[in-house]
Structures are given as structure tokens and as C-alpha cells.
């Protein structure tokens, strides 16, 4: 039973993966944006942003861009699912004797693979502009796993959005809009020290900040003090906790939405 | 006789719109039921409920002996659905699509691949098997979509407007495929706006309008409901019209209608072919030159018009929902 459910998920993962090279634009734009961010931020803000506690801005920046980029997995997943929905594919899948989670598992897993590839490309770009890691393999690996799982969790949020809005156009805006404030009001691109007091508090508790701080910690990159709060003191532990919360909340919500979904 | 599909009092309202307003259906195993109705009649809604995609507001539905509302998961392995618009992955090839659906029906890889090849062959898509569906014509998509519904030869098959958008040749092919499915023991519920299609394929036709079944029966039964046949003769010259008129009147026992412009004489007849033969013989005796002679049975078009007060194809009629009920009562 479980085995065949996993197989359903794999069949649909394969389907989504097959699509990626057939729509090269998607892959291109999904990769170009983070690359642009790496170069723009590194060279435009590079010298202008002082890092409290010292350190190189590019080394500070890269983990932030990693986290920001994988957050946009939400939009990728939302659009993909909304497209399937509007084409009637979701209806067809729902009429098949497959696991209720299979369509979402397939889509989110394929988007995870896509994002791992994008992380790989970004790592190369990062190394080109002078980003380095300064810890052992175990810490570096933990950082990558943490970011990859964040990507997966964000995809599940996207799954819920995609199943709720139904039209790909709406899904694309609904999947992205809120990510700008969420990723920018954080320590992803600039240290929170320069923000006004109230904004700084928001940024401090923003999960995006926890993930950025955790990644910086694990990579051994400059990591300005976020604050004397729980996420400020234990970013890695807090990030893991966030992951658990995101999965526990959004996976069941998205699956439930799928079960109830109707295309019209 | 066991029923593959049984529906009782199915109701589905969308706000003010009564998509289904109490539908009863019973489809014996191994037969074809056609839901015939104009746009917005509720055909798709009925199919969606029976294929577990939509929950009705009220009513009961059994498919292959299983309660669709109580145990949808047990119904799904037993049905195949080809929806109104082709639902296949445009970015995959025809073969990849069919293999995927086979795998989702839990066939192993080799079986799924073999079955895909078989179906591609059967539906004339072998040449296009390795092309992405995006490059297919509408008819090819439609056929691929139907093939996807048949990967496991399910016992009950739902086809929502299976031939809409197909050219006459492809439509005839599709009819053949459907006939084969039934010959192999499947039960088919199909929806259509084409009277000819219902006439040709269905054992039973349920005429649906405004969410209700307003008439049900075989094509012949439905036609019989609106009366018998019409005998029609076209003669060569105006002078022959009175003679033809006299002959037809005497054969049928009622007064013919004469159209002088087209030199056509028409009369309702109760005895069908016998009347036709008699007429031709008598006209020959009278030395009348007959240009055309025909025996018209009422078409389903006539049936539809009589039953609903509007033609089958005249899109979403703006009539109030009450009209259909009045006509049927
Ligand atoms: N999700 C929905 N929300 C609101 N109204 C709906 C919805 N789905 C269907 N309807 C309405 O229900 C009625 C029946 O629709 P349905 O799709 O079942 O018709 P149909 O017989 O399949 O028509 P067609 O021949 O055009 O496919 C229509 O008036 C339609 O507008
Ligand atoms: Mg329809």
C-alpha cells in the first residue's frame, strides 16, 4: 500500500522532471534571477554595506541569496499546479486510483530537484565572486540540507496556493507577491542593525532571517548578531523547528485542498 | 439485469443555477447510455459526480455496484474517464502520457509500455508517439485522451463529448472504438450534443435539459413518441401534381400537403414501407414521372424540438428553468 503510494509519487515526479527540459525558458529564468542577484548585490552593494563585526559582504550575501531563491519555489509549485488544474489534468488525476498526495508529492519533489540544481549553479557563481566556506564538510552539508528542505517546505506552501487560486496567472502573483516583503524584511541582504527599531524586531523573528543566520553559521560566513532572542541565539535549532512547523501545517492543508479541489 | 450505473435523484445546484435537478438513470451492464442535451444541460456535471470528482447536493449514485459517494476510492480503479476537454500533459509525448497513466493504474513498467504501444497503434497515433502532445492536432489530442481512459480496459467508461471537434473520419473511428469496447463487455456512458451520434451508438438515450431527464428510451422509442413516418414524392411537372396528390390521399387515407413551388407532395403514413411500395406502383400506373420519393422517419432533431421546445444545438437557451419541466409534464 505504502509502496504503491510512493510509486505514484515517483511516477508523477518523473512526469514533472520530464517537462523541465521541454520548457527551457522556465529553467533559464529560474536560474538567471539568482545569478543576477549574486552579481548585482555583490558588486552594487558590495562595498557600501558594512558588516557589524566585520567580514566580507559577498560572504555575507551568498547564504542570503540561497535562502531567498529557494523561497521562490512557492511560486514555481503554485504556477505548475494551477496550470495542471486549469488544463483539467488535476481532474483526470483525481479520477485515478492513486494516492491523494501523489500529485502534490510529484510536483513538490520535482521542484526540489530543480532547486537543488539552481543551488548548484549559485554555488558556482558564488565561488566565482569570491564566496568561500570556512567550516567542515558536516556543517556545510547541514547548511545545504537545511536550505533544500526549506525549498521543499516552500513548495508545499505553493501547492496550497496553486490548488486554491486555480488560474496560473493568479498563482504566479499570489505565489510571489508576499515573498518580497518576507525575504527583504530580513537579514538576507543587509544586516538588521541598520533597520529602524520596530522593523528590526520583525526581521529578527522572521523565519527567513533564522535560515540565513543558520546558513551563515554553518558555512562559517560573517554572521552579524541578529538579536538577543531565541532565533537570534540559536538560528540553526530554530530553523529546524520552523521546518517541522511548515511541513506539519502545510502538507496536510495542501492535501486536503487537493481532495476538495474542483477545476470549475 | 444488473446495472453498471445507477443514479437516483441526483441534485447539484450552483447558487441559482440548477446544474442537476433530480436525475435518475439506470445503465444495464454492457450497454451504452447517451446523455443527450444542449449546452448547460448538466451532462458534464453528471459525469463529474459519477467519476468521483464532484459531490452532489443530494441523491445516490452507484457505479459497478459501489456507492460513489461513500467509497469513491473503490470506484476509481473500475472507471475510465475522458473529460470534455482533452486532459493530457502537453509537454510529454503521446507515449510518455500513456505510460504514465498506465503506471498510475499500477501496471508494471513493461506492461504499461506494451499497453501504450498497443493503444497508440489502435488510435492511429503510432507515428506521433514520440512527439510532444503540444504538436498534436485537436483530433489527435482527443484520441490520445480517450486512449488514456482505456489503459486498463475499465468495466465502466465515461466519455464526455468524445467526438466533439473530430472530423467525420475520426468520428467514425471513434464510434468503432466505442462499439468495440462495448462488444468487449464494458459499459459506456457518453454525453453528446449530436443526435446522430446518440442514434448510432446508444442502446438508451436520456434526453437531458435544464438538469432533468425529460425523456428516455431507445432512439426508435423516442421517435415513435412524436408520431409516425412521412411519405414524400417529388414529381416532374405541375400537371402531374393533382394525380400524385390523389394517389397519396388514397394510399394514406389523409389529405397530403402540396408544395407547388418544389412540386413536392407529403403525407403522414402509418404503414411505412408498404405505403411507399403501393404509392410507387400506382404512380407508375398513372404514368407520373417521379423525380424523388422518400419515406422520412422523424429524426432525433424533431424529437428534441418537440420535447424541449428548442433545437438541440441552439446553445444555452435563455429560457427560464421552468420551461423544460412544463414541456415534459
Ligand atoms: N462550478 C460551477 N459554478 C457555477 N455554475 C456551474 C459550475 N459548473 C457548472 N455550472 C453550471 O451548471 C450548468 C450545467 O453545466 P454542465 O457543464 O454540466 O453542462 P453540460 O451539459 O456539460 O454543457 P456543455 O454541453 O456546454 O458541456 C450550466 O448552467 C453551468 O453554467
Ligand atoms: Mg459538458
Amino acid at each position: 500500500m505504502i509502496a504503491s503510494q510512493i510509486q505514484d509519487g515517483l511516477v508523477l515526479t518523473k512526469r514533472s522532471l520530464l517537462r523541465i527540459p521541454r520548457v527551457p525558458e522556465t529553467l533559464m529564468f529560474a536560474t538567471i534571477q539568482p545569478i543576477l542577484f549574486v552579481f548585482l548585490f555583490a558588486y552594487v552593494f558590495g562595498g557600501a554595506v558594512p558588516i557589524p563585526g566585520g567580514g566580507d559582504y559577498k560572504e555575507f550575501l551568498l547564504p542570503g541569496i540561497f535562502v531567498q531563491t529557494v523561497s521562490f519555489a512557492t511560486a514555481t509549485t503554485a504556477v505548475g499546479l494551477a496550470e495542471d488544474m486549469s488544463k483539467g489534468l488535476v481532474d483526470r488525476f483525481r479520477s485515478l486510483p492513486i494516492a491523494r498526495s501523489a500529485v502534490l508529492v510529484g510536483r513538490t519533489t520535482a521542484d526540489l530537484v530543480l532547486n537543488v540544481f539552481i543551488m548548484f549553479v549559485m554555488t558556482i557563481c558564488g565561488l566565482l565572486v569570491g564566496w568561500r566556506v570556512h567550516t567542515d564538510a558536516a556543517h556545510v552539508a547541514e547548511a545545504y540540507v537545511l536550505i533544500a528542505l526549506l525549498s521543499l517546505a516552500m513548495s508545499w506552501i505553493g501547492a496550497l496556493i496553486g490548488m486554491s487560486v486555480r488560474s496560473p496567472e493568479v498563482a504566479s502573483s499570489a505565489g510571489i507577491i508576499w515573498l518580497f516583503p518576507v525575504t527583504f524584511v530580513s537579514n538576507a541582504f543587509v544586516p538588521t542593525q541598520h533597520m529602524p527599531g520596530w522593523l528590526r524586531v520583525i526581521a529578527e523573528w522572521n523565519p527567513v532571517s533564522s535560515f540565513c543566520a543558520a546558513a551563515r553559521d554553518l558555512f562559517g560566513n560573517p554572521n552579524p548578531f541578529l538579536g538577543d532572542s531565541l532565533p537570534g541565539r540559536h538560528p540553526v535549532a530554530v530553523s529546524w523547528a520552523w521546518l517541522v512547523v511548515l511541513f506539519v501545517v502545510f502538507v496536510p492543508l495542501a492535501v486536503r485542498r487537493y481532495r476538495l479541489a474542483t477545476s470549475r | 439485469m444488473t446495472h453498471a450505473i445507477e443514479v437516483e435523484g441526483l441534485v447539484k445546484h450552483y447558487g441559482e443555477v440548477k446544474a442537476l435537478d433530480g436525475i435518475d438513470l439506470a445503465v444495464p451492464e454492457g450497454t451504452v447510455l447517451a446523455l443527450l442535451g444542449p449546452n448547460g444541460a448538466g451532462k458534464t456535471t453528471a459525469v463529474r459526480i459519477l467519476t468521483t470528482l464532484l459531490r452532489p447536493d443530494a441523491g445516490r449514485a452507484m457505479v459497478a455496484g459501489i456507492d460513489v459517494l461513500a467509497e469513491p476510492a473503490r470506484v476509481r480503479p473500475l472507471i475510465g474517464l475522458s473529460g470534455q476537454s482533452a486532459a493530457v500533459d502537453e509537454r510529454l509525448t503521446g507515449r510518455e502520457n500513456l505510460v504514465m497513466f498506465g503506471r498510475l493504474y499500477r501496471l508494471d513498467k513493461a506492461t504499461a509500455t506494451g499497453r501504450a504501444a498497443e493503444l497508440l497503434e489502435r488510435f492511429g497515433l503510432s507515428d506521433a508517439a514520440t512527439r510532444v502532445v503540444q504538436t498534436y492536432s485537436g483530433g489527435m489530442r482527443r484520441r490520445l485522451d480517450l486512449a488514456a481512459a482505456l489503459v486498463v480496459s475499465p468495466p465502466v467508461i465515461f466519455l464526455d463529448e468524445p467526438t466533439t471537434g473530430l472530423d467525420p473520419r475520426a468520428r467514425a473511428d471513434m464510434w468503432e472504438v466505442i462499439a468495440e469496447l462495448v462488444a468487449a463487455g464494458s459499459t459506456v456512458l457518453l454525453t453528446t450534443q449530436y443526435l446522430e451520434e446518440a442514434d448510432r451508438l446508444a442502446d438508451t438515450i436520456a434526453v437531458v435539459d435544464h438538469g432533468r431527464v425529460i425523456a428516455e428510451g431507445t432512439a426508435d422509442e423516442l421517435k415513435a413518441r412524436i408520431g409516425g413516418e412521412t411519405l414524400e414524392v417529388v414529381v416532374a411537372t405541375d400537371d402531374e401534381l393533382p394525380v400524385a396528390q390523389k394517389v397519396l390521399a388514397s394510399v394514406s387515407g389523409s389529405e397530403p400537403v402540396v408544395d407547388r413551388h418544389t412540386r413536392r407532395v407529403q403525407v403522414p403514413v402509418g404503414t411505412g414501407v408498404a405505403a411507399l411500395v403501393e404509392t410507387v406502383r400506382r404512380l407508375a400506373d398513372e404514368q407520373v414521372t417521379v423525380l424523388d420519393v422518400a419515406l422520412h422517419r422523424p429524426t432525433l432533431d424533431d424529437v428534441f424540438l418537440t420535447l424541449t421546445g428548442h433545437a438541440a444545438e441552439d446553445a444555452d437557451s435563455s429560457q427560464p428553468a421552468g420551461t423544460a419541466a412544463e414541456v415534459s409534464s
Side-chain angles (χ1 to χ4, degrees), chain A residues 262-264, chain B residues 12 14-15 17-20 37-46 48 54 84 160-161 191 193 208 316:
Chain A
T262 48
S263 65
R264 294 199 304 165
Chain B
K12 179 77 192 175
Y14 290 105
V17 181
K18 297 173 176 167
L20 290 183
N39 290 138
K43 304 181 297 290
T44 299
T45 307
R48 287 171 57 79
L54 191 65
Q84 186 163 359
D160 198 356
E161 302 199 12
T191 75
Q193 296 180 41
V208 185
D316 253 310

Side-chain angles (χ1 to χ4, degrees), chain A residues 8 15 19 22 91-92, chain B residues 48 81 89 91 106:
Chain A
D8 295 341
R15 171 224 161 199
R19 291 171 61 95
R22 312 257 166 95
D91 265 357
R92 163 147 269 151
Chain B
R48 287 171 57 79
L81 164 66
D89 192 325
R91 307 287 184 170
R106 309 266 161 85

